[in-house]
Amino acid sequence: MKGFTDERNYVVELLDGGTTIEDAIENHIYEQALAEKNAFVVANLGALMRQHVVWQSTMPLVRPFYPVKCNRSPAVIEILAALGVGFVCSNKTELSMVLNHDVPTENIILSGVCKQLSHIKYAAKNGINYLVCDNEADLCKIARAHPNAKLLLQLSTESQAEEASMVFGCSVKRCRHLLETARELGMDVIGVVFQVPSCKDPQVYTHALADARCVFDMAEELGFHMEILDIGGGFGTSEFQLKQTHAAVIPLLEAHFPVVSAVHIIAEPGTFYVSSCFTLAVNVIGKKMVARDLHGKAVERTSTDEPEFLYYLNEGVYGSFVGKLLGNTVPSPTVHKTFTADEPGFFSSLWGPSCDALDQVVEHCLLPELTVGDWLIFKNMGASGQEEAGTIGDAQKPPVILNILFLVFFFSPVCVFFCCLFFV
Ligand SMILES: *Cc1c(COP(=O)(O)O)cnc(C)c1O
């Protein structure tokens, strides 16, 4: 196995056929055991490519546009760009990251319904014409700063209506007014986008797609040529979930947007692509034993109380677990050391290293008794914002170890490209 570190705090390792991600983690823990025991992230780029293959075989008619905000790691962008995936950017920084990877401008969408004027100007200057819009104020800004923009109107969906109906997206009714305004301003509207939440009833699509059809008809009536339907993100993480969504969506697409209508169907899968690709390993740096009183409050333990453990980790919500602050659930960890099956489990909670009450990583889990220096492994951390770690706290970012697994199973030009890319 080869490895080196570049200036971005990445260690790139090419794994040979027999080595698994688990082996790579094991090796690195072994190395760290003799060093500083710093937390680290292992990124399995083979898994990223595998997700792409799953997407293409399950949803062959729906072209993926990856939302950069889900994981901005340059390696992720690099690979997805090489695979020909499109990108959804929410600001200028993300646009420039994607442009730096030579992504063709027609494969980039500037999303967000309230855009800073300078970001619109940046898109205009760089020839990024696909912009999302859901309100008159933004429409006027775009008309001034980017008259060549091709707009995707963001439609609100039923599931959003309960919580945030007025925040994102516009209703079918308001769409007509928006379309008329766009026409008066001489702006081009070319499609519709909507977002559904990830833990949804596939029924959400029934209404969303019927509404989208309605907006297409209105737009065409007003003389717009509609070409793109964007069904948003929220495809979960597994092939099973993707197949379920596919089963729900395909008949609806056939009914409302048949292939003969020549509408390009695209989607914005984020979590689906990156979640399973990143694994985080953290070290236990502190430990307390407590008990619960009748009110559930943690108290000093007496010898007769059932013990409960508080473990302190070298990463917290101001680092790799920043996703927790953003409302993501932290996946349950696994214990790295081996323990016997009959070892008792204890109620445990996991805390970050800051002395902040918010810095609770896992509220409650059942773990065998750990000692300081043990490792915990968190899988499926790719969409939790951990690659942003270090932007909030001032601790150094954990290094990311990129493992290029399964590469040989993929089309060889891509393979050659990556090898050159990572070894220059
Ligand atoms: C975050 C985001 C998504 C991704 O949703 P997933 O559930 O991660 O697939 C899609 N589109 C936009 C505009 C987003 O901001």
Side-chain angles (χ1 to χ4, degrees), residues 61 65 71 76 181 184 203 220 274 296 320 353 360 363 408:
L61 299 177
F65 276 65
N71 185 321
V76 168
T181 314
E184 282 162 25
Q203 279 300 315
E220 276 159 9
V274 288
S320 297
Q360 188 182 44
E363 220 172 279
V408 286

Side-chain angles (χ1 to χ4, degrees), residues 29-49:
I29 283 182
Y30 178 74
E31 285 162 21
Q32 282 293 307
L34 307 170
E36 292 184 22
K37 296 199 175 181
N38 289 327
F40 62 92
V41 175
V42 173
N44 180 353
L45 299 181
L48 184 64
M49 291 189 264

Side-chain angles (χ1 to χ4, degrees), residues 67 69-70 88 111 195 198 233-235 268-271:
K69 74 124 200 297
C70 283
V88 182
S111 73
Q195 295 290 344
S198 48
F235 298 92
E268 304 178 355
T271 305

Side-chain angles (χ1 to χ4, degrees), residues 197-383:
S198 48
C199 313
K200 75 226 155 199
D201 175 357
Q203 279 300 315
V204 177
Y205 286 108
T206 310
H207 299 278
L209 286 167
D211 285 355
R213 181 69 250 172
C214 207
V215 176
F216 264 65
D217 293 341
M218 270 188 309
E220 276 159 9
E221 221 173 272
L222 289 168
F224 293 109
H225 178 59
M226 300 291 274
E227 316 163 18
I228 297 180
L229 172 69
D230 181 344
I231 62 171
F235 298 92
T237 55
S238 68
E239 184 171 354
F240 175 74
Q241 282 168 296
L242 190 65
K243 282 191 167 143
Q244 272 190 321
T245 307
H246 178 260
V249 165
I250 286 302
L252 296 166
L253 285 177
E254 274 164 7
H256 296 302
F257 298 91
V259 177
V260 291
S261 67
V263 171
H264 299 285
I265 315 283
I266 67 173
E268 304 178 355
T271 305
F272 177 80
Y273 268 91
V274 288
S275 176
S276 61
C277 305
F278 283 63
T279 301
L280 172 69
V282 296
N283 199 252
V284 176
I285 57 168
K287 169 182 178 181
K288 274 183 197 164
M289 193 199 276
V290 295
R292 293 278 155 195
D293 69 9
L294 292 174
H295 311 290
K297 198 167 154 254
V299 291
E300 201 85 37
R301 178 179 175 259
T302 62
S303 57
T304 53
D305 292 327
E306 172 79 3
E308 182 176 326
F309 292 99
L310 273 55
Y311 295 110
Y312 297 85
L313 313 175
N314 56 353
E315 278 295 313
V317 299
Y318 299 109
S320 297
F321 294 104
V322 62
K324 176 88 195 294
L325 290 183
L326 306 173
N328 299 340
T329 6
V330 174
S332 303
T334 53
V335 179
H336 168 258
K337 72 173 175 189
T338 41
F339 52 90
T340 52
D342 57 358
E343 199 143 333
F346 297 98
F347 283 123
S348 311
S349 54
L350 306 177
W351 299 80
S354 75
C355 297
D356 184 335
L358 273 182
D359 201 0
Q360 188 182 44
V361 175
V362 174
E363 220 172 279
H364 225 56
C365 57
L366 209 57
L367 292 175
E369 187 173 353
L370 304 177
T371 50
V372 171
D374 282 345
W375 291 88
L376 288 174
I377 311 292
F378 292 84
K379 289 187 177 165
N380 299 321
M381 291 291 286

